[in-house]
Amino acid sequence: MSFASIFPSLFLTGNPNILRGGNLRVEAGWLFSKGGNQEWDASHERSENANEDILIFFFQLDLATRVQYALNMEQYDIAQQLRNKLTEVEEEVIRQQEATRGSSSKSEAQDKALSIIRLRADLQNAIENENYAMAAQLRDQISKLEAESLAASAKALAYENAQYAFRLGQKVSHKIFGYQAVVCGMDPTCCESSSWMETAQVEKLSRGTNQPFYQAVLNHVQGRFDHPYISFLFYGADTAGDFIPIKQLREKYNRPRHEVPIDPPDEDSKGNL
């Protein structure tokens, strides 16, 4: 199942002037140096996957708003149809997240562990029946599954124990390119395609893909931060100048509400991507 089959005009929902703006992109950024490569620029970090992800998030918000509006107008049949569509979209989002963000790794490790138990029982039976050729094959299968189970467990553990240096709504500056941005999403490890990772030269990172990656909306003007996505993703700015993510965005990434400290941070403490 794809999002196109759920709702063919997915990317035309809401204000098309906002959702289809050619320069309204989401960038994935991180801390690292390109070693002085002058041909490198910020466009290499542009992520169509991240842009699609945020548009789908807007679509979910739009559907939820339409459901509430239909209920307020006592249009219960329409509300139920919209709620069914919203449930279908949410289930597909969860499925894709599990496939790329670690939940499936935990299930995969558990499934492989069960398979190993069954194979060990078969191995014992083969030994008891003196079927040593079969026993040798079973040992090879068990060894392979044990290695795969260990890798899946390590990936799931990395997702569960990820430590983020930045938070949703935090204003940051790119360490290399210097552009200003606001964090609007994050992944415990790189969830991009292999082609994106190759273009972005992820292999040059000291920790490669096994570190948090961030999505950020860019500021295309000087001075005041101005981006069309801001009003959808954040309630406004806090007393420290960062943005306050809406509840749905915090729930999407399972992040706690940030409380601004009494003493605002100085300029040196501002984040750098």
Side-chain angles (χ1 to χ4, degrees), residues 24-63:
L24 305 182
R25 299 293 184 181
V26 180
E27 305 270 341
W30 53 85
L31 280 161
F32 79 118
S33 170
K34 295 297 181 185
N37 184 353
Q38 299 300 317
E39 296 182 357
W40 189 267
D41 59 54
S43 66
H44 289 81
E45 296 181 358
R46 177 175 294 167
S47 168
E48 292 300 332
N49 287 339
N51 202 57
E52 179 179 334
D53 184 67
I54 202 170
L55 291 176
I56 292 169
F57 180 65
F58 288 158
F59 179 44
Q60 291 177 273
L61 293 178
D62 181 65
L63 274 178

Side-chain angles (χ1 to χ4, degrees), residues 124-177:
Q124 185 61 36
N125 289 332
I127 293 174
E128 291 176 354
N129 293 326
E130 298 184 355
N131 189 343
Y132 300 117
M134 177 62 71
Q137 294 178 8
L138 290 170
R139 286 195 187 95
D140 291 341
Q141 293 180 38
I142 290 172
S143 297
K144 181 180 179 181
L145 280 176
E146 286 177 338
E148 293 174 350
S149 178
L150 182 61
S153 297
K155 183 178 179 181
L157 188 62
Y159 274 77
E160 293 175 358
N161 297 332
Q163 299 293 321
Y164 295 103
F166 307 105
R167 63 179 183 276
L168 293 173
Q170 184 176 359
K171 286 184 178 180
V172 294
S173 299
H174 196 284
K175 185 177 181 181
I176 304 301
F177 307 123

Side-chain angles (χ1 to χ4, degrees), residues 12-31:
L12 302 181
T13 303
N15 186 341
N17 293 325
I18 291 177
L19 299 184
R20 295 194 296 178
N23 64 337
L24 305 182
R25 299 293 184 181
V26 180
E27 305 270 341
W30 53 85
L31 280 161

Side-chain angles (χ1 to χ4, degrees), residues 26-29 50 101 182-187 213-217 253:
V26 180
E27 305 270 341
R101 295 179 179 172
V182 174
V183 176
C184 65
M186 54 191 63
D187 293 310
F213 280 66
Y214 300 88
Q215 296 87 49
V217 290
Y253 292 101

